[in-house]
Each structure stands twice: as C-alpha cells, then as structure tokens.
Amino acid sequence: MNLSFYIAKRYLFSKKSHNTINIISIVAMCGIAVATMAMVCTLSIFNGFQGLVSTMYCSFDPPLKITPDKGKVFDAQSGALLKVKAMPEIALFTEVLEDNVLLRYKGRQVPATLKGVSDNFGELTGINQVLIDGEFKLHDEINNFGTLGVGLASNLGMNAGFAYPLEIYALKRNVRIHITNAASAYVTDYAYITGVFCTNQPVYDNNYLIVPIVMARTLFDYPREVSAIELKLKEGADTNKVQEKIKKILGSEFQVKNQYQQQETAYKMMSMEKWISYLILCFILVIAAFNVIGSLSILIVEKQQDVIILRNIGASNKLISRIFLFEGWLISSMGGILGIILGLGLCFLQQKLGLLKFSGASGSFVVDAYPLIVEFKDILFTFMTVLVIGFLSVLYPVRYLSRRLL
C-alpha cells in the first residue's frame, strides 16, 4: 500500500488528542454526504419527469416521422418513399395530412389543427391508451368520425357520442377571398365525435382533432399529397440505424425524426434545467468542502511532531504533503459514498412509498408523487464530481499550509 495513503488513513480513523478535529472531520464528511445525496435525488427526479413526459408524448408521436425539408406537403407515392415503405424493418406506414381549420359547434367557434390519418393510426400510436371518453374510430360506411383533445372538447362544449356533428371549416386553396362573400372561401365538412383523448400535453389536448385522411384531402384539396409519413418499426429493429437508412434513401429533401427529435425543444429545456440544478448543487458541494480545509488545517498543526519524525527518517516534503492531500480526499470520497448510499435509499423509498407528494388534492396531477428514475451514469458522474471537487479544494490549501507550517 502507498505509504502516504496508509498514514492518511491512520490519521483519519485514529483518535486525535483534540476531539475538535474528529468533530470537524465528521461535520465535513456529513456536509459532503448531504450535498451528494441532494445531487443524486435531484438528478433522479429530473430523470423521472423526463421519462414521464416521454411516455406522454409516445402516446401521440410515432417512433419515426418523415416531413418535407421545405414546404408543407409532398407526394407520398414517390419512388423513394415507396422504397421506404418496402423496407423489412417497417411495420406500419401511415399517411398524415395536417393543417389549420375552424371548428364550430352550437355557436362556439374554436381554431384547431386537423390531423387526417390513415386507418392504421390506432395501431401506430398509443391513442387508445389516452382515451378518456368514447372510442377511437375514423369512419363507417356512411359517416366520418373524429377524436378530440380534451381541451378542445371543453372549449367547444361537447363530448363523445353527441347527436349533432361538429362543423369543420377550411380555407379553399388558390381562391381569392371576396369581402362581400367571405363564406365562399371556405370548404365545409362534418364529423361525429366518437372519442376524447388526454395526453396531458396542451399542444395536443388543446388543439388537435383527428379525422380520416380522406376527409382531410377533401377539405384541403390535396388528392395525393401528405404533410407527413409516420412509421412504426418491427419489434427488435434499431431505431437509429433505420433512421439513418431512411435518410440515405430520401436525401436532403426530407427530415426524418425520432420521438426525441419530434419534441426536441421540450427535452432540451428539461435537460437544461437538470444541469443548471446540477451546477447549483456543485456550488453547494464546494462550500461543504471548506469544512475539509478547516479539518486539515487543524490536523497539520497537531501533527507537526509527527512530521519532524518523518523527516528525520528520510521522508520528503512531497510525501508529507501527499499524506494530508489523501486525508482530505478520503474525507471527500467517504462523504460522497455515504451520500450516494443515502440518496439511493431515499430514491428507493420514494419509488415504493411516494414520500414526497405534490401539493393539492389527489388526482390533480398526472402522478401524485414525484417520479424518480435512477440512472447509473448519473451516480457515476456525481461520485466523480465529488472526487474532483474534494481533491481540488484541498490541493492549494495543503501546499500553502505545508510550506508555512511544516
């Protein structure tokens, strides 16, 4: 064993002539442990929220989505897209036509986004899992049906199964609007509402109406074009590899996005919040490390007689300085290990018992307690941060005190 490390370990665990040194060392270790525990819990909570949001988006966003790089629509029957459709990794190929409309129901008017989809849309996404009323149905032999977001349904004052159809207005393409006859600029169609969904994402719940793509083609006057192609992959297919293959087939004229990239802004914001919190906790950890400096300062003063003996038997100043460096690093690393153990324990209790709950009545939020996901990379990163801060915080003070006192 390294001599300086062995002596540092003996100094840490042996009884001192002054109990104050032991107390300060314990306080320093506890301070680092608390800061580390807070870091583990905070990062895990952000992971939990990110996982929760990802689950919400997954019920509406497809695994892969193809959109034009320029413009709103494109021909879904082009040769390149037919090659994509024939790929062995593709399980479902859903055509989507999406644009803005005006909805009207019994005197209430609300602007919305109409999303026309193929008949296999229910298999593509988890729309059935987020239905809170009725069923997801697109059409029968006679009528077209629609499924509304819960916010949109509330604004219109309607629900699934109402007897009267929803009026849908879309602007005609390539038609000049006359002020005296503005109504002639609109195409009108009707849909009976069979379902209401709730994803807990306002961008969908407050704006989206899902209808059959045939109805959307009639309203928007696009006989062949689509605004997007949504893909579901076969089980076991690697999303990233398939995404790259599709990009090579389609070239630069199209964008191919996975679920993360479809909501990139939201995920980036959450990631930024997570790492800003991490930086704040690092600052708290630095403050806690000053207790280690105080403990080492007193220890150096107390061990001056030991230092003289070490020098008499041939120890160099470098070896003596390393003893106190290891002493500070041991306090930091032990505090870090203790903090990680406590943090993991709290995370386990939170996952099982939901100790930390949201304020307000039960059921007011998507979940009642703070969600947690513990990731190994965050634990490793946290421990490395503790080691680096602990080492750097004692490096200069030990060298300075060694020159002055030893």
Side-chain angles (χ1 to χ4, degrees), residues 138-387:
L138 292 173
H139 58 81
D140 60 15
E141 294 80 3
I142 302 173
N143 298 310
N144 290 318
F145 300 125
T147 303
L148 282 172
V150 63
L152 198 54
S154 176
N155 291 334
L156 288 166
M158 67 180 312
N159 217 330
F162 277 28
Y164 292 97
L166 177 66
E167 300 175 32
I168 306 171
Y169 298 88
L171 281 172
K172 292 180 180 179
R173 292 178 59 208
N174 305 319
V175 173
R176 183 175 296 177
I177 300 175
H178 297 280
I179 297 176
T180 57
N181 188 18
S184 64
Y186 289 94
V187 178
T188 307
D189 208 337
Y190 303 88
Y192 290 92
I193 301 304
T194 60
V196 176
F197 65 82
C198 178
T199 64
N200 293 295
Q201 296 299 322
V203 66
Y204 295 140
D205 293 343
N206 297 341
N207 297 290
Y208 271 78
L209 166 64
I210 304 173
V211 298
I213 194 169
V214 175
M215 181 180 182
R217 291 191 189 283
T218 303
L219 281 166
F220 303 136
D221 192 21
Y222 286 120
R224 290 171 55 92
E225 295 85 352
V226 296
S227 57
I229 296 293
E230 298 184 351
L231 305 173
K232 182 178 181 179
L233 307 184
K234 290 183 179 177
E235 189 175 350
D238 188 300
T239 303
N240 293 328
K241 290 182 179 178
V242 175
Q243 184 181 12
E244 291 303 317
K245 285 176 67 175
I246 295 174
K247 284 182 178 179
K248 289 180 181 178
I249 294 173
L250 298 180
S252 60
E253 296 182 1
F254 294 89
Q255 295 182 7
V256 184
K257 296 182 178 181
N258 57 31
Q259 287 181 327
Y260 172 83
Q261 292 165 336
Q262 291 170 48
Q263 304 296 338
E264 191 171 8
T265 303
Y267 286 120
K268 279 186 176 180
M269 187 178 298
M270 293 188 67
S271 180
M272 188 179 298
E273 290 173 348
K274 174 181 176 180
W275 294 114
I276 287 174
S277 300
Y278 163 79
L279 290 175
I280 294 172
L281 290 170
C282 281
F283 180 71
I284 296 173
L285 190 60
V286 170
I287 295 174
F290 279 103
N291 290 319
V292 181
I293 298 172
S295 175
L296 288 176
S297 301
I298 299 175
L299 184 65
I300 289 172
V301 173
E302 187 194 58
K303 297 299 181 180
Q304 287 190 71
Q305 189 63 39
D306 291 3
V307 170
I308 293 172
I309 295 172
L310 289 170
R311 279 179 174 164
N312 289 336
I313 61 176
S316 63
N317 288 338
K318 183 178 180 181
L319 185 144
I320 296 170
S321 296
R322 285 174 63 187
I323 292 173
F324 297 104
L325 278 174
F326 278 124
E327 177 84 6
W329 209 5
L330 280 171
I331 294 173
S332 300
S333 59
M334 291 182 65
I337 293 171
L338 178 61
I340 288 173
I341 293 171
L342 291 174
L344 291 175
L346 281 177
C347 289
F348 177 79
L349 291 175
Q350 177 67 16
Q351 287 175 328
K352 297 298 181 182
L353 305 177
L355 300 177
L356 189 60
K357 298 183 181 296
F358 293 104
S359 59
S362 179
S364 301
F365 300 94
V366 180
V367 289
D368 293 330
Y370 281 85
L372 280 171
I373 296 178
V374 179
E375 294 186 359
F376 175 75
K377 63 179 181 179
D378 286 341
I379 303 301
L380 181 61
F381 192 71
T382 298
F383 186 60
M384 294 302 296
T385 301
V386 172
L387 293 183

Side-chain angles (χ1 to χ4, degrees), residues 56-63 124-125 204 230 259 262-263:
M56 293 175 183
Y57 280 127
C58 285
S59 62
F60 207 88
D61 293 333
L124 177 80
T125 62
Y204 295 140
E230 298 184 351
Q259 287 181 327
Q262 291 170 48
Q263 304 296 338

